[in-house]
Every structure is written in structure tokens, then in C-alpha cells.
Amino acid sequence: MKTLGDLIKILTPKTLVVLDIDSTLVLTHKRNEAILRQFAKDSSHSDRHLFKQTECNAFEYGYYQALQRLQVDRKSPVAEELARYWRQHFFSNNYLHHDLLHDGALDFVEYLQRKWIPHVYLTGRPHPSMWEGTLSTLNQFGFVVDENKLFLKPQPQDIDEVFKSEKMAELKKAFAQECSQIVFIDNEPRVLNQIDRDHPDIHLVFVDTCHSPNVIPPSTALKIKDFREVAQGLKAL
């Protein structure tokens, strides 16, 4: 699958679409921003005031560029305290309401729903701390998700790409009779590379938003910036 037309052509009721969430269907920069601003209120560090009006921008990976704009060294005591605070709160239910829909994502998923194209959600969010909030916010966005279509990794320490590859093997078996092919859509090259190695039969779509640095997605992946062009192509059918 090399072109957008190739993707649109194979989206039939015999195709399982597997969707990532963070930085794929939703953008998380406002979640980061809210956490950093709350840190300014909760911390007792003398430099906490720096984060009162922090701004995090779309397509930035984590909050590191916000630190650069504030001229805060990532190895400084306040940054190390912030890192612990951020990790505790980013991977929780409490700030998910700050996430924003990625352009065209809901239009795309609504098309899948209308055409009875099987689709599930596979995310590296940890189940113990994010299950309820993930299920709730996705439905609030309009994705119509239940517990049979949503898969979070069992524990925070589980490696995202390993978890997703193992779950993909399970999905292959579960949908073997219903679907003849799988499309996997994710923003993280590390994950896509793992799936490409372990499941070369799966069609890959790379959502080029933000991701871990210095990693290149597989050449076999179709690259999209957002879902607007996909949704427009589907409307023309």
C-alpha cells in the first residue's frame, strides 16, 4: 500500500482497521500544557512560577520544547521534579479531557462505522490508570467504543511496541474468519517498525504528527499528516 488511493480501495467490511489513539486520533499538547500549569500550583520548588503560563504546541513531542522556550535545563532539579509529576499525571484519567480531536479523525471513523468496517483501538496507555478515562473520552468525542473494541497495555512498564505486536497476533486470530487483511494506523515509528518486522502482511499507515526522536518509520508505511484527505477521498465514493 503506497498511496492514499490504495488505502481507500482496501477499506471494506473484510478489512480490520486497528487505530492508535494518542497523536493519531487525538492531540495531547493541551494535556501536557494543563499538567505543567498545575505543576506550578502544586510544586514547592522556587522556580515553579516559570510554568504558570506554559504553552505547549500541537505536534510537539512531550513537553521538552516548552522547557526549551522557558530556558529550563532538562537536568535541573525543577525539571527532574516536573518529569516525575508529568509521568504521574499524563498517564492518568485526570487530564484526558484536555485532549483535542485530530483533523478528520472522527470523519474517518464515522465512515468505518457507517460502512460496517471492523475497527478496534490499540493504545500504549496503561490499563490500570487510564481505562475508564479513555473509554469515556473516546465516546464523548463520538468514536462509539466499548470494552470489546479497546485494548490498553496491562502494565505501565510494558513496552509499547512489544505489547502492540503481541496484541496484533491475537487480533489476527480473532478476526481470521471475518477479515482477510488488516490496516494498522499509528504515529510512532518504533511501533510501526516492530509491526513491520513481526507482521509483514499488515498494511501500515504512519500519522506524521509527533513521535520519539531519531526513528524513521518503515518504507512500506503510507504517510499521512492527518485524516482530512482520507475522509475527503472516502466521501467521493
Side-chain angles (χ1 to χ4, degrees), residues 35-80:
I35 292 170
L36 267 60
R37 292 186 179 192
Q38 189 61 41
F39 173 77
K41 299 177 181 179
D42 293 347
S43 174
S44 59
H45 196 283
S46 59
D47 289 333
R48 65 186 184 278
H49 65 279
L50 294 172
F51 303 95
K52 286 183 177 180
Q53 299 299 322
T54 305
E55 292 187 358
C56 295
N57 300 323
F59 312 121
E60 292 181 345
Y61 182 64
Y63 59 88
Y64 298 134
Q65 287 172 275
L67 289 185
Q68 291 177 347
R69 287 190 291 273
L70 295 170
Q71 299 183 329
V72 174
D73 190 321
R74 285 174 57 179
K75 295 184 179 181
S76 65
V78 70
E80 291 180 351

Side-chain angles (χ1 to χ4, degrees), residues 21-35 56-62 86 90 95-96 98-102 125 187 210:
I21 299 175
D22 288 336
S23 300
T24 295
L25 296 178
V26 304
L27 302 179
T28 62
H29 60 290
K30 287 298 181 181
R31 192 195 319 173
N32 286 322
E33 185 176 281
I35 292 170
C56 295
N57 300 323
F59 312 121
E60 292 181 345
Y61 182 64
W86 176 87
F90 187 83
Y95 289 83
L96 291 177
H98 291 283
D99 289 350
L100 302 173
L101 273 172
H102 192 28
R125 295 178 178 185
N187 70 296
C210 60

